Amino acid sequence: MSVRVKKTIGLIVLTLVVVALIFLVIYLVQKSDVEKQKAEQLKSAHIGETLDCDGFVMTLTCLDNKREEIWSLKAQEGNCFLLIEIAVDAEKEVSLKQSDFSIKDGDAVYGQIDEGELLEDSITVKAGEKKTFYLLYEVKKGRLESYYLTAYGYKIDLGGTLQGPVLSSGDAEQ
């Protein structure tokens, strides 16, 4: 092949690479914007607040964030469990899935607990029925910043997992 053909092929390849990079950048920027919009659309909520969802009312009634052991389950070193009690009052028949609930920086845990029914896959609540179930997540122990449970258009503030006495701002400076 002549030098001229090699240069032409090289320029074509370089042009294709630049075009591909431009499309990749555009895709990543749009994806980031969509994720930000989804996060902004979530309504903020707190423990004990009644949340209106499509066809049911949900209340995060109780949170236990200090356990390192539940039934036969033990948290990994440096972690603890978030045991979340949720009460649902269905207006129409709804099927709630574990995959609809998430905590960033937390891992869903499955097993048996003495407290009640742990949502592992899905649960169906019939119209007019009230049902209570639990979610279990393993998270980092001693975290000051909040964990957030996202589900059905809500971002529920669970607080941190500070173990022991709560420090005042004066204690933290020392």
Side-chain angles (χ1 to χ4, degrees), residues 40-81:
E40 290 171 0
Q41 290 174 351
L42 294 175
K43 299 173 197 162
S44 294
H46 300 282
I47 298 168
E49 189 174 339
T50 301
L51 312 175
D52 274 330
C53 302
D54 186 29
F56 64 99
V57 175
M58 175 174 70
T59 306
L60 194 151
T61 55
C62 185
L63 169 70
D64 184 350
N65 65 354
K66 293 180 173 49
R67 291 177 148 187
E68 294 179 30
E69 189 174 324
I70 293 180
W71 202 60
S72 64
L73 305 171
K74 292 185 181 184
Q76 294 179 8
E77 184 69 32
N79 288 351
C80 65
F81 291 114

Side-chain angles (χ1 to χ4, degrees), residues 4 19 48 52 59 61 63 66 69 82 85 87 128 136 150 152:
R4 188 173 198 171
V19 169
D52 274 330
T59 306
T61 55
L63 169 70
K66 293 180 173 49
E69 189 174 324
L82 293 179
E85 181 181 4
L136 186 62
T150 55
Y152 302 104

Side-chain angles (χ1 to χ4, degrees), residues 15-31:
T15 303
L16 291 175
V17 168
V18 169
V19 169
L21 287 174
I22 289 170
F23 280 113
L24 181 64
V25 168
I26 291 170
Y27 169 76
L28 292 174
V29 168
Q30 287 178 340
K31 183 179 175 185

